[in-house]
C-alpha cells in the first residue's frame, strides 16, 4: 500500500473525506485486509489516546503561581489608563508622523514644480531668484524672483482663521 | 461583585464580566479554577515543567490583555486553552523546534519510515489500569518530536480538524496528515514496546 493511500485511509477514519472520496475508501476497506488492519490500528490508538489524556497539575501553590501573574498585571496596569485594555501598540507612532511628513513632501514638490515652471518660462538665467526656508518656521517656504518682482509663500499647514 | 466568598460561588461568566471591568480578584479566581488545565496543555506541548509554567503564566497575561475580546462564544476554558496553545506554538517556532532538523526527521515528514512499521493487530494498552495507561501514554508522547506531538495533541485532545491544525501550525494539509499518521503509528509501536518491557 502506498503512502498516499495510507493517508487517505486515515483521513477517512478522521471523517475528513466526503462523497466519492469517502466511498472509494469504503470500497478499499471492504476488499483489502491490509487496509482494514491499518485502519483498525489507527482507530484503536486514536481512541485510546483521546480517552486517556495525561493530566498535569501546576507544581506550585495557588498563591505562588498567581504572584508572578499579579506582578505582570501591575506593570501592565501602570502603563495603561484603563485595566483590561490591550497595551498600546508601537505601530501607532508612524501614523502620527504621517501627516507632517506628507505635508512636508507636498511642500517640497510644490517648490520643485514652481522652480521648474518659472525657470523654464523666464528669460532670466537661474540665479536671479531665491527659495528661502525660514529657520523660525520650517513649514513656510518663500520663493522670490528678483527680476519679475514675484514673491510666493507656501505653507505646509492649513491657514488659521 | 465583592468578597472572596462571592468569587468562589460565582460562575465563569460572572467572573469574566468582573475581570473585564478591571477586577483582578475575579481574574485570580479564574486563574485558580483553570490553571491546571492551562498548565497541562502547555506541558503536553513543550514537555518541560519550567517552560510549561512560564508559558502558562504568559498565557494568563495575554488573556488579561484580550479579555474585552472574549464575548462568550466558546467557554472561558476553551478560549484560554486556545491562547496557551498559541503561546506555546509561538515559543516553539521562535526556537525552531517545529522544523525538521535531521535527515531522519525529514524522512518522517515526507512519509516512509511509518510505512515500514508493522501493524499492531492487538490493542497494546489492553488490560492496563487507567492510571498506568495514562502514564504510558504520557511517556510515549514524550518520545515524539515536538512537531509530531503537537499535531497529535491538537487532533486527539483538542478535536481540531486538519485544516485548523494546518492554519495554526502554518504548514500544509499534507504535512498535517503525514505528521499525524507518523505520530499515531509511532505511538502504537511505543505503547506496544512499553507493554512488552513490563511483561503486561
Amino acid at each position: 500500500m502506498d503512502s498516499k493511500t495510507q493517508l487517505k485511509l486515515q483521513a477517512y477514519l478522521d471523517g475528513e473525506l466526503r462523497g466519492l472520496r469517502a466511498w472509494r475508501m469504503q470500497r478499499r476497506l471492504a476488499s483489502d485486509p491490509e487496509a482494514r488492519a491499518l485502519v483498525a490500528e489507527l482507530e484503536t490508538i486514536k481512541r485510546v489516546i483521546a480517552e486517556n489524556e495525561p493530566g498535569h497539575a501546576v507544581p506550585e501553590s495557588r498563591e505562588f503561581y498567581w504572584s508572578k501573574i499579579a506582578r505582570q498585571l501591575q506593570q501592565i496596569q501602570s502603563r495603561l489608563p484603563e485595566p483590561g485594555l490591550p497595551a498600546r501598540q508601537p505601530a501607532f507612532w508612524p501614523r502620527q508622523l504621517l501627516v507632517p511628513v506628507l505635508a512636508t513632501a507636498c511642500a517640497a514638490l510644490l517648490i520643485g514644480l514652481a522652480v521648474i515652471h518659472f525657470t523654464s518660462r523666464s528669460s532670466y538665467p537661474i540665479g536671479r531668484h531665491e527659495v528661502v526656508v525660514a529657520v523660525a518656521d520650517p513649514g513656510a517656504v518663500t520663493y522670490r524672483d528678483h527680476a519679475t518682482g514675484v514673491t510666493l509663500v507656501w505653507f505646509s499647514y492649513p491657514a488659521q482663521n | 461583585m465583592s468578597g472572596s466568598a462571592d468569587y468562589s460561588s460565582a460562575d465563569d461568566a460572572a467572573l469574566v464580566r468582573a475581570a473585564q471591568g478591571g477586577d483582578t480578584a475575579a481574574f485570580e479566581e479564574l486563574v485558580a479554577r483553570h490553571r491546571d488545565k492551562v498548565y497541562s496543555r502547555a506541558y503536553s506541548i513543550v514537555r518541560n515543567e519550567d517552560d510549561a509554567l512560564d508559558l502558562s503564566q504568559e498565557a494568563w497575561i495575554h488573556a488579561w490583555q484580550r479579555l474585552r475580546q472574549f464575548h462568550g462564544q466558546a467557554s472561558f476554558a476553551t478560549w484560554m486553552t486556545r491562547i496557551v496553545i498559541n503561546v506555546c506554538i509561538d515559543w516553539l517556532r521562535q526556537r525552531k523546534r517545529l522544523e525538521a532538523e535531521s535527515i531522519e526527521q525529514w524522512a518522517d515528514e515526507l512519509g516512509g519510515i511509518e510505512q515500514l512499521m508493522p501493524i499492531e493487530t492487538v490493542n497494546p494498552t489492553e488490560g492496563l489500569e487507567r492510571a498506568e495507561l495514562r502514564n504510558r501514554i504520557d511517556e510515549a508522547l514524550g518520545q515524539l518530536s515536538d512537531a509530531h506531538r503537537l499535531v497529535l495533541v491538537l487532533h486527539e485532545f483538542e478535536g481540531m480538524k486538519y485544516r485548523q491544525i494546518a492554519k495554526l501550525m502554518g504548514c500544509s494539509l499534507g504535512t498535517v496528515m503525514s505528521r499525524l499518521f507518523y505520530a499515531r503509528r509511532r505511538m502504537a509501536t511505543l505503547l506496544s514496546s512499553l507493554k512488552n518491557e513490563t511483561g503486561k
Side-chain angles (χ1 to χ4, degrees), chain B residues 4-200:
Chain B
S4 57
D6 293 340
Y7 292 128
S8 59
S9 59
D11 63 11
D12 280 3
L15 291 170
V16 168
R17 276 195 301 277
Q20 283 172 332
D23 187 340
T24 50
F27 190 65
E28 183 185 356
E29 179 62 29
L30 285 167
V31 173
R33 280 184 195 182
H34 301 287
R35 67 194 188 120
D36 282 343
K37 185 175 169 56
V38 172
Y39 167 79
S40 189
R41 178 55 66 246
Y43 184 85
S44 71
I45 296 172
V46 300
R47 303 292 302 181
N48 176 284
E49 209 172 271
D50 291 337
D51 292 332
L53 265 174
D54 287 346
L55 291 167
S56 66
Q57 285 165 321
E58 194 183 324
W60 284 110
I61 305 296
H62 280 253
W64 172 260
Q65 291 175 306
R66 288 162 182 74
L67 262 181
R68 295 274 171 98
Q69 295 166 23
F70 177 73
H71 301 297
Q73 303 94 325
S75 71
F76 180 74
T78 303
W79 185 70
M80 250 333 283
T81 306
R82 192 55 67 89
I83 291 178
V84 76
I85 288 170
N86 281 324
V87 167
C88 290
I89 290 176
D90 284 346
W91 186 84
L92 289 172
R93 208 172 272 146
Q94 281 165 16
R95 281 153 188 78
K96 301 189 188 303
R97 278 171 56 172
L98 291 180
E99 295 170 11
E101 287 167 354
S102 65
I103 292 168
E104 288 76 18
Q105 275 181 288
W106 273 113
D108 293 349
E109 298 287 349
L110 298 170
I113 290 173
E114 69 272 24
Q115 287 185 66
L116 304 173
M117 295 176 184
I119 292 172
E120 298 294 335
T121 50
V122 180
N123 182 354
T125 60
E126 208 172 321
L128 291 176
E129 294 288 328
R130 199 176 174 85
E132 174 63 12
L133 180 55
R134 284 186 171 174
N135 281 342
R136 288 191 184 181
I137 289 172
D138 196 34
E139 201 178 320
L141 281 170
Q143 293 185 48
L144 295 180
S145 75
D146 291 309
H148 290 113
R149 187 174 50 252
L150 181 59
V151 172
L152 204 64
V153 165
L154 296 179
H155 194 273
E156 316 299 33
F157 299 153
E158 293 300 326
M160 288 187 189
K161 305 296 277 181
Y162 292 174
R163 209 166 285 280
Q164 286 177 286
I165 299 171
K167 193 177 172 189
L168 207 57
M169 291 180 71
C171 63
S172 71
L173 215 59
T175 303
V176 171
M177 291 165 77
S178 176
R179 283 177 179 173
L180 184 61
F181 186 72
Y182 175 83
R184 280 171 170 165
R185 301 228 55 208
R186 183 101 179 96
M187 283 296 284
T189 309
L190 287 167
L191 288 170
S192 182
S193 63
L194 285 171
K195 188 179 183 181
N196 293 336
E197 275 170 29
T198 53
K200 281 189 181 175

